[in-house]
Structures are given as structure tokens and as C-alpha cells.
Amino acid sequence: MTFPFLLCANWKMNKNPEEARSYIRQITDLFPSDELNKIVFFAPAFALSVLSEECRSSSFGWGAQNCHFEDKGAFTGENSPLVLKHMGATHCLVGHSERRQLFFEDDLLVQKKVKALIKNNLQPVICVGEHKEEREKGNSFSVVERQLAGILKQIDFPDSVCIAYEPIWAIGNHQPAQPSQIDDMRKHVQEMCESFGKKLCFLYGGSVNRSNIKELSQIAGIKGFLVGGASLDPHDFFKLYCSLV
Ligand code: PGA
């Protein structure tokens, strides 16, 4: 049976180019080569050219953790989606909660980035999710609806819309959301996508590790995972994959 999930690694602001190269070489030795196209690495900017070189002899997916919505110009410090494509990237993260919270990215900005990625034939992995207080007030659905409405309404996707539900309260705290909470959100996002005539690829992220991934993988309709901390060591990441096969 082929691996039925998309496994995305978000390295965040970790790994220099040498560490990235060593990691990727270990991964390509560990993983079955015909499964590597289901694995996507989101690297920090300085390591992207290493992934670009290493992917020539391997089939893993890769991309940046953020990009600008313009292809080029006077945007100091930004990543160009056009250059990412030129380097051979396949994906790009957009709207990660750390970008929204720490760098004040709003829904409209995220929408413009998604549009730019589609224009450049890159697959955006669109992160959505609510704060703890928003969940406690019963507003999880409305927050995610607000985050996705413009994107689903304004943008034509050539294929499915890849949405990573990452409740902010579950990120980096060793305790993922409950399967029932993820399932409820998956159904809600599915309905939203259907109402706009879009196909959904639903991922979950937030404290996914090798002890909980099997249980999470049993949630109906889940297509994959976005993994932060548990993706940083190649052997740990491989064990996480092994718990699924
Ligand atoms: P985590 O991070 O797996 O360390 O919780 C996930 C993410 O922020 O994408």
C-alpha cells in the first residue's frame, strides 16, 4: 500500500545550510525513494538553496515558510514566489499563526500571497486556526471562516485547496487538539470548500509526534500533517512516518 498522507515538516527558524544538507541526505537514505514525494520540507530562507540542489537527485517536496505577494521589487527582506518556483520549490506555507501573531499578517495579506503562489504554480499550504480564548468563547468556526472566506471566494485553485488546521493553543505544547475537535473543524472546512466548489486537502498541525500521529491519522478525511518540533531530527521524523505505515 502506498503512503496515503502528506507529511509536511516545518523547521521554523532552525538549521543552517550545512545542517539542512546533512538532514536531507539522512532522510533520503532513510525513506523509501518512492514515498519521498509525499514529504514536504519547509525550510528557513538560508537553507532553501540547499533544498533546491538536493531535490535534483530526489523527489521530496519543499518550499519556504513565507513569501511576498509580488514576484520582485523593493520589498527588503522578502522571499519572491517567482524565484522560489525558479529554484524548483513545490510548496509554500502561508498564514502560519506565528506570521499572523508576530508579524501582523492579516487575512487580506494571506489571501494575496495565496494568489501569488497559485500564479507561480506553487502549492500554498494555508494555515488557519484559533486562539485558546476564541475556542473557549465558542468562536473557532467563525475565526477559521473569516480566515478562509476571501481565499475561497476570490481564488481559483487548479487542484485541491491545501488547508492546515493548526489551533494556536495546540502548537508546541505536547498536547494536540482532540480528534473530535479536529474532525468537527474538518467537516466545517469541507462544507465551506464545497460551498465554493473547491476540493479540500485537509491537514492537521499542532504537537503532532510519533506517539499521537497514528490516532490522529484515523480521523475521517484527514489527508496529512504539518509537523514542527517532531520534524527537526531526521531519525525522529522517519519514526513518525513509520508509525503511520
Ligand atoms: P509543533 O508545530 O508541531 O511544534 O506543534 C507545528 C507548527 O507550528 O506548524
Side-chain angles (χ1 to χ4, degrees):
M1 191 184 88
T2 57
F3 185 61
F5 299 105
L6 185 69
L7 204 48
C8 301
N10 177 9
W11 294 349
K12 308 196 179 186
M13 200 174 70
N14 295 289
K15 299 195 189 301
N16 64 36
E18 289 73 33
E19 289 164 341
R21 195 179 304 280
S22 153
Y23 178 109
I24 290 293
R25 294 201 171 159
Q26 291 178 69
I27 284 284
T28 44
D29 284 345
L30 289 165
F31 276 77
S33 55
D34 58 347
E35 298 278 61
L36 275 171
N37 61 352
K38 321 267 178 52
I39 317 290
V40 182
F41 299 104
F42 291 108
F46 293 128
L48 292 173
S49 54
V50 168
L51 271 73
S52 171
E53 285 161 24
E54 295 294 321
C55 81
R56 286 188 200 133
S57 52
S58 184
S59 60
F60 60 83
W62 66 277
Q65 298 165 4
N66 175 39
C67 71
H68 197 265
F69 56 85
E70 293 289 356
D71 286 344
K72 61 179 174 179
F75 304 107
T76 303
E78 289 291 317
N79 297 323
S80 155
L82 178 67
V83 173
L84 266 179
K85 183 65 193 173
H86 175 79
M87 289 169 75
T90 50
H91 294 68
C92 187
L93 278 186
V94 216
H96 190 281
S97 60
E98 286 148 21
R99 301 289 322 164
R100 293 179 192 261
Q101 281 186 281
L102 306 172
F103 303 97
F104 312 110
E105 293 195 4
D106 63 17
D107 299 330
L108 185 60
L109 182 60
V110 173
Q111 183 184 319
K112 286 160 115 175
K113 291 178 183 206
V114 173
K115 199 166 184 183
L117 288 165
I118 296 291
K119 188 188 91 182
N120 283 291
N121 292 317
L122 288 158
Q123 172 75 63
V125 174
I126 306 160
C127 302
V128 296
E130 78 285 359
H131 287 277
K132 189 165 183 284
E133 306 73 51
E134 291 167 330
R135 173 157 285 271
E136 282 165 359
K137 287 190 187 140
N139 293 337
S140 309
F141 288 169
S142 59
V143 169
V144 170
E145 268 170 36
R146 194 207 66 220
Q147 290 170 334
L148 286 176
I151 292 171
L152 295 177
K153 198 168 172 187
Q154 305 286 341
I155 301 175
D156 284 332
F157 288 79
D159 198 358
S160 21
V161 190
C162 192
I163 296 172
Y165 173 51
E166 296 205 306
I168 296 166
W169 46 274
I171 293 178
N173 79 356
H174 309 290
Q175 185 58 57
Q178 296 296 321
S180 61
Q181 295 171 318
I182 302 170
D183 189 40
D184 288 347
M185 186 59 81
R186 203 267 313 155
K187 287 185 193 130
H188 193 70
V189 172
Q190 176 85 48
E191 277 168 23
M192 270 193 91
C193 285
E194 277 166 14
S195 72
F196 288 101
K198 310 267 196 283
K199 267 199 300 175
L200 169 67
C201 171
F202 184 87
L203 313 182
Y204 169 76
S207 298
V208 175
N209 61 37
R210 71 176 130 119
S211 344
N212 58 36
I213 197 165
K214 184 81 196 168
E215 187 189 0
L216 296 171
S217 74
Q218 269 136 34
I219 299 168
I222 201 151
K223 292 282 168 30
F225 300 93
L226 180 55
V227 186
S231 73
L232 289 176
D233 176 273
H235 290 272
D236 284 350
F237 192 55
F238 179 63
K239 285 184 192 145
L240 190 138
Y241 157 84
C242 291
S243 345
L244 280 178
V245 288

